[in-house]
Amino acid sequence: MSRTRTMTALRAGSARALRAVGGSLRAAVLPGRLLFAVKTAAAVGIAWLLGSLLPGETDRYSYYAPLGALVSMYPTLMSSVRSSLQTLLGLAVGVGIAAVVVLTVGPSLWSTVVAVAVGTLISGTGWFGIGREYIPMAALFVLIIGGTDAEDYSLGYVLQMAIGVVVGLGVNLLIPPAPLVSEAVERIDAFQHRLAEHLHDIADAVADAEPSDHGVWEQDAHSLAETSRTLRGALAEADESRRGNPRAWLRHTDTSREHARLELLAETAYQIRDISGSLSDSILERPSGLPLDAGIVEPLSDACRAVAELLAADDDLPRHRQAATDAVQELLHAVHRRSIDTDAVTGPGVLTAMHLQRIVQLLEPDEDDEDDDDAAEGSDEAQSR
């Protein structure tokens, strides 16, 4: 029996790993990402073509133009502009360091080492953003590849990179990227359903308390905090994608509600992690765990499932909220009864009930949201008339 349960847990873990890989692959081929790949390829090709048409010696370094295009291509317009300017500034400083060496002691092993060291120190000031990496690189390239022809090389290097940057920015302006708000919202939705799924896993683990089955959901609990941090970054990037973007001007999307929702889910994740940690300590009989009274297993499991259903609910929210409230209250009553019957505090039950009650309270709709929903319904009714 134990072996069967272990195999079930392994299959569940493998299924989750496959879902995670599938999610990563889907993210790589989203329409916005595919458009970005096509734009990047087009910018590289155009930059290389234009770079090879420059007069004089500069066309010898046309391979730097595609690099400049790559540097300037970012999923958001503001990031593209910022990274492009920072890169050109870093290149100019690096070439300037190399020029000082060429005009004084000349290129050599020791002068190149010193130039790279100076460039590395300057890059650590934090003034150049992504361009900091190009300061010692530009100095190194000019002194090693340029050598005695450092002047022509420096001109060609900077000019070709600048052409690539201009082409990349032009492509991004001509075909502006779509704001990333909808993608961020989808990821927040997925996170909410993942929290519900984790509560279901806890309910199953408590109802079938076999230590070998708990590796998967216990590990998942530790990843919830990392997921919430990642989503904060995704939402910040979504806000960045709207800045200066003509496609965002038409929508006027306000992400304040999504920020508030993410903070609510992050707090919910914290509550769930605390439940998971306490119950795993009890089930696995760790020194820090308190005994899990068999008399509260069923109401505890039911309460977890009811709150999970509330988290995952897309409609009929009042019914799910009432069911979750009733289930948590039943758990509290069961804890109270068992505490009297056994003359002992049922610690895991008390802690779980407190956290589940807190989650139900967090999921209470705000008055502003209700007003917005009422206004939307009124607008729909007016339009239908």
Side-chain angles (χ1 to χ4, degrees):
M1 188 67 175
S2 177
R3 182 178 179 181
T4 302
R5 289 171 176 171
T6 301
M7 293 301 297
T8 302
L10 289 174
R11 283 195 295 269
S14 300
R16 293 188 183 191
L18 289 174
R19 285 200 299 270
V21 172
S24 299
L25 293 176
R26 284 193 297 272
V29 294
L30 288 173
R33 195 67 190 176
L34 291 175
L35 176 62
F36 180 65
V38 171
K39 287 164 52 179
T40 302
V44 165
I46 295 171
W48 202 344
L49 176 63
L50 293 179
S52 63
L53 297 178
L54 290 182
E57 294 293 317
T58 54
D59 67 335
R60 292 170 50 195
Y61 310 105
S62 60
Y63 48 83
Y64 284 119
L67 177 60
L70 275 177
V71 168
S72 68
M73 294 301 292
Y74 272 75
T76 67
L77 283 175
M78 293 305 297
S79 295
S80 294
V81 173
R82 182 167 54 247
S83 64
S84 299
L85 295 177
Q86 291 171 345
T87 298
L88 292 177
L89 181 59
L91 286 174
V93 173
V95 169
I97 294 173
V100 171
V101 172
V102 171
L103 295 174
T104 54
V105 298
S108 67
L109 172 62
W110 296 110
S111 63
T112 300
V113 169
V114 171
V116 170
V118 172
T120 303
L121 289 175
I122 294 175
S123 68
T125 59
W127 299 337
F128 301 92
I130 193 175
R132 66 183 180 275
E133 301 173 0
Y134 291 90
I135 298 175
M137 187 185 302
L140 180 66
F141 282 4
V142 170
L143 294 176
I144 291 182
I145 301 177
T148 56
D149 195 23
E151 183 177 348
D152 289 339
Y153 176 82
S154 300
L155 178 61
Y157 183 21
V158 174
L159 187 57
Q160 293 285 1
M161 286 287 289
I163 287 176
V165 165
V166 171
V167 169
L169 290 176
V171 169
N172 244 347
L173 288 171
L174 184 63
I175 311 174
L180 302 176
V181 177
S182 60
E183 292 181 15
V185 171
E186 289 177 4
R187 292 179 64 181
I188 293 173
D189 290 339
F191 182 47
Q192 182 165 346
H193 284 277
R194 182 182 171 193
L195 292 176
E197 181 181 336
H198 189 71
L199 270 180
H200 276 299
D201 290 343
I202 292 176
D204 293 340
V206 171
D208 187 17
E210 176 68 29
S212 60
D213 292 351
H214 301 303
V216 175
W217 65 269
E218 191 178 10
Q219 291 173 9
D220 284 352
H222 296 303
S223 66
L224 294 179
E226 180 62 31
T227 302
S228 62
R229 284 193 292 269
T230 302
L231 287 177
R232 285 191 180 95
L235 198 50
E237 187 177 10
D239 290 334
E240 177 80 3
S241 71
R242 298 171 59 244
R243 296 176 56 194
N245 190 337
R247 295 178 65 174
W249 298 342
L250 302 176
R251 300 182 183 182
H252 300 288
T253 306
D254 182 13
T255 59
S256 58
R257 178 176 293 188
E258 301 308 324
H259 279 282
R261 182 179 167 214
L262 180 55
E263 291 307 313
L264 181 148
L265 292 178
E267 176 63 22
T268 301
Y270 171 78
Q271 305 293 330
I272 293 175
R273 287 175 60 208
D274 214 6
I275 294 172
S276 180
S278 171
L279 292 177
S280 64
D281 285 348
S282 298
I283 293 172
L284 299 177
E285 299 180 352
R286 296 184 178 126
S288 58
L290 295 173
L292 179 61
D293 191 307
I296 66 166
V297 165
E298 184 176 350
L300 192 153
S301 180
D302 290 344
C304 286
R305 287 194 176 94
V307 176
E309 291 296 332
L310 174 59
L311 262 173
D314 295 323
D315 54 15
D316 203 4
L317 289 176
R319 180 177 66 83
H320 287 289
R321 186 174 296 108
Q322 187 60 51
T325 301
D326 292 343
V328 173
Q329 287 300 316
E330 179 57 35
L331 173 58
L332 286 170
H333 293 325
V335 168
H336 181 67
R337 289 194 301 267
R338 293 301 297 169
S339 298
I340 294 175
D341 294 342
T342 61
D343 194 25
V345 177
T346 55
V350 173
L351 185 66
T352 301
M354 289 173 55
H355 286 305
L356 291 177
Q357 195 169 46
R358 173 63 176 156
I359 292 172
V360 173
Q361 292 172 353
L362 286 170
L363 297 177
E364 285 286 342
D366 293 335
E367 293 182 1
D368 293 340
D369 292 339
E370 291 181 339
D371 292 342
D372 291 343
D373 293 338
D374 292 341
E377 291 178 2
S379 176
D380 292 340
E381 291 178 2
Q383 291 178 3
S384 64
R385 293 172 184 172

